[in-house]
Amino acid sequence: MNAHPPHWAAQKERGTPVLLRLTAWAARTFGRRTVRPLVLLIVLYFFCFAPRARRAIADYQQRLRDQGLDRALPAKRPVFGQFMAFADAILDKLDMWQGRLTRADISMVDPDDLHSQMRGQAHGQIQGQAHASRGQILVCAHVGNMDVCRALVERSGHLALNVLVHTRHAEAFNRLLESHGASRLRLYQVTELDAATMLDLHQRIEQGEWLAIAGDRVPVRANPGRDVPEGGVQTRSAPLEGTRKTSARVTTADFLGAPASFPQGPWLLAGLLRCPVNVLFCTKIAGRYRVTLERLADTVAWTRGHREAEIGRWAQRYADRLARECADAPQQWFNFYPFWNGHA
């Protein structure tokens, strides 16, 4: 393996817009059962010609076995099965945006009653009332199918959700989602998050809106000389407090028995915005989606002298919770790159 393999964001999109649209059209017109053989052939092609992705998934699955977390991992062809799980997730995304999957098809695990807080915020927005409480942060992961949650929010038409995404990494698929109704969510391209946008996010949190950010992808490397918030997103105007000229910042946490790099961004944002932080997962268990909402921190506070240690502590708590979710849905880990390599 290369000592310095490319960053995850450097991996090119596989598939063309025409192929993606053809698959979407076939799924919409003929149904999943008819289009599944086509998807099988497509995934088989990618499986054969993506050796780096195959090795990354095999490494991930071996770490699950080493930690005794492979109870739900099938014995036969588990690596190929993970590619197929990704194909099923794509079909589910399209079904969700087209209204074929509804709230009735989803189980909710919400021990802290966060969904009620979301409904309360949405009701306040509808009525035009002053918010009794501020917004919160949702830290997500590339496990399962987060577009199920995004589509539910989109179709509700009420709760405002601001999603930090790396949309350029999958431009073709994002255009496809937009053509199927994913148009009202507020998406922020994290490689172009400037100071004005950061201030805008702060205002939205104050207004009771929520912010979603992935906690398992290290940020895209910044260009030298750019002002970069220590969460790793580029700023193109006057830097905010806590920003400096640097490369993208990461922290290290133990994940499945070995050190792995995690972004500092969620915990830096939580400290700057001073709002509660929750984890959000959406995994498919026994053919039914399970949305899990849990409070991770009522507040994340750090000072300049203890910032690294405090961020590392919260990243470790997130990594531990992420490992438990991977144990429940081992083939729905969709980071197809060497996660445990510090340069991945």
Side-chain angles (χ1 to χ4, degrees), residues 154-300:
E154 174 82 16
R155 291 215 303 269
S156 73
H158 304 316
L159 177 68
L161 181 64
N162 306 279
V163 185
L164 274 64
V165 294
H166 183 70
T167 54
R168 286 181 179 173
H169 188 57
E171 290 178 350
F173 192 71
N174 275 281
R175 287 194 298 270
L176 182 64
L177 288 181
E178 288 176 4
S179 70
H180 286 78
S183 60
R184 294 196 303 270
L185 286 175
R186 189 175 294 108
L187 302 182
Y188 285 94
Q189 163 57 254
V190 295
T191 57
E192 296 177 355
L193 193 63
D194 57 19
T197 304
M198 289 290 291
L199 293 175
D200 181 54
L201 290 177
H202 180 267
Q203 292 173 354
R204 295 187 184 283
I205 288 289
E206 292 294 328
Q207 294 167 3
E209 300 184 13
W210 290 50
L211 169 66
I213 183 172
D216 61 337
R217 290 275 176 93
V218 295
V220 179
R221 269 47 170 189
N223 291 334
R226 286 278 184 92
D227 287 331
V228 183
E230 295 194 357
V233 289
Q234 296 177 7
T235 60
R236 294 182 295 176
S237 57
L240 299 172
E241 180 183 357
T243 68
R244 63 186 180 87
K245 292 187 178 182
T246 182
S247 59
R249 295 294 298 274
V250 299
T251 189
T252 300
D254 183 87
F255 179 58
L256 297 181
S261 295
F262 288 87
Q264 291 188 358
W267 324 113
L268 286 163
L269 277 176
L272 290 170
L273 298 176
R274 300 186 183 278
C275 61
V277 180
N278 315 286
V279 292
L280 172 63
F281 300 109
C282 183
T283 49
K284 199 171 188 178
I285 309 295
R288 183 180 177 87
Y289 274 107
R290 181 186 72 185
V291 174
T292 302
L293 278 165
E294 293 179 10
R295 174 62 49 80
L296 191 67
D298 289 322
T299 183
V300 174

Side-chain angles (χ1 to χ4, degrees), residues 13 18 38 51 62 80 82 103 121 125-126 133 143 153 172 189 204-205 229-230 234 256 269 289 293 320 331 343:
E13 299 179 49
V18 172
L38 172 62
Q62 186 57 51
F80 181 69
Q82 195 138 339
R103 175 66 180 84
Q121 298 286 18
Q125 292 166 11
I126 296 170
S133 60
V143 175
V153 171
Q189 163 57 254
R204 295 187 184 283
I205 288 289
E230 295 194 357
Q234 296 177 7
L256 297 181
L269 277 176
Y289 274 107
L293 278 165
D320 293 341
Q331 289 188 300
H343 304 284

